[in-house]
Amino acid sequence: MILNMKRITIVLVVLVLALSRSVGQNVYINPDLLQNDWSAKWITHPNITGEEQGVYLFKKEIELSQKPKSFVINISADNRYVIFVNGTVAGRGPTRGDLKRWLFETIDIASYLTGGENHIAVKVWNMANLKPVAQMSHQTGLIIQANSPKEKDINTNKSWKVTKDEAYSFYKIKHLKRYYASGPGEKFTGANHPWHWQTSTSTAWKTAKVGENGQSLR
């Protein structure tokens, strides 16, 4: 992973034993993506440093002439994500790694797509200083890389939009009188949430801030 704020390189890799296969799917990553830099870029919110707590919503619409038989993508985030396609959860992750071996998922989202306009939406969490001990993090970010040229319209770049979800806040767990390694408490205020944001165009979106291209281990 590379973000341009600090020019720190974090390499994207996959679990060798998993052979880049998504759970429950016979989907494999394009081997070229393991040898060459990705054309997709890391994106984030334009008004943050990336080191603060927050939940961020990313969105893009893509147009398809017909429902595809396959539509394979590679996706990761810092530090947790859920991806929605046309309002339905299509995946979540990433599998935990470390800053030198940042992991990603390869998934086929074709079953959630349709001919015409499609809404691709991703919720990204960063619990910052309150994150679980096992959770690595550099800076808030999202990356999606098409597995082949036919899916290239989904690549993360300046065509993506983003907004902060003000409904979420995190708080430290203080009442336990022992070592605590889990995540924080989470508060959700429904009045501040942009309901139906996954498919709505009325949310106050900002153009995503673009970082560096994803890099593979080579």
Side-chain angles (χ1 to χ4, degrees):
M1 171 166 63
I2 303 179
L3 292 178
N4 63 358
M5 284 71 84
K6 290 187 176 180
R7 307 290 295 183
I8 295 177
T9 301
I10 303 173
V11 181
L12 288 162
V13 300
V14 294
L15 287 171
V16 176
L17 293 178
L19 297 176
S20 308
R21 182 167 59 188
S22 298
V23 175
Q25 292 186 336
N26 251 348
V27 181
Y28 291 85
I29 186 174
N30 181 343
D32 289 343
L33 299 177
L34 298 178
Q35 301 296 324
N36 304 303
D37 288 354
W38 291 8
S39 54
K41 296 180 179 293
W42 282 92
I43 58 174
T44 190
H45 194 286
N47 298 340
I48 64 173
T49 67
E51 298 175 355
E52 57 269 76
Q53 302 165 22
V55 174
Y56 302 91
L57 312 176
F58 294 84
K59 179 86 183 299
K60 183 176 181 178
E61 290 86 43
I62 60 173
E63 192 81 18
L64 298 175
S65 59
Q66 60 185 359
K67 181 179 177 65
K69 293 182 179 179
S70 69
F71 199 98
V72 179
I73 64 171
N74 304 283
I75 178 172
S76 191
D78 187 348
N79 41 65
R80 307 298 296 162
Y81 76 82
V82 175
I83 180 171
F84 304 83
V85 180
N86 293 323
T88 300
V89 174
R92 63 184 73 234
T95 303
R96 283 190 178 134
D98 58 53
L99 296 186
K100 292 184 177 180
R101 297 173 180 83
W102 198 265
L103 305 181
F104 62 93
E105 284 71 41
T106 301
I107 58 176
D108 189 345
I109 61 172
S111 62
Y112 306 99
L113 295 169
T114 186
E117 186 177 75
N118 290 271
H119 296 261
I120 313 299
V122 186
K123 180 185 291 187
V124 174
W125 283 260
N126 189 344
M127 291 168 279
N129 60 308
L130 296 181
K131 66 184 182 295
V133 171
Q135 179 65 59
M136 300 293 105
S137 180
H138 172 51
Q139 292 178 332
T140 301
L142 168 70
I143 191 167
I144 300 178
Q145 169 65 49
N147 208 46
S148 70
K150 74 175 183 178
E151 302 105 356
K152 65 181 181 180
D153 287 348
I154 204 171
N155 284 356
T156 44
N157 50 39
K158 63 182 180 181
S159 66
W160 278 73
K161 303 297 183 182
V162 63
T163 190
K164 183 177 181 181
D165 192 341
E166 301 289 354
Y168 290 88
S169 60
F170 304 109
Y171 57 91
K172 187 175 182 179
I173 303 297
K174 298 179 179 180
H175 65 277
L176 298 178
K177 305 298 183 181
R178 63 193 70 181
Y179 177 72
Y180 184 77
S182 247
E186 185 176 295
K187 180 179 179 181
F188 179 84
T189 304
N192 297 335
H193 181 64
W195 296 99
H196 309 297
W197 65 275
Q198 298 97 330
T199 55
S200 172
T201 57
S202 61
T203 302
W205 299 101
K206 294 180 179 291
T207 299
K209 182 178 180 179
V210 174
E212 299 296 322
N213 297 77
Q215 288 190 344
S216 60
L217 184 64
R218 59 189 186 277

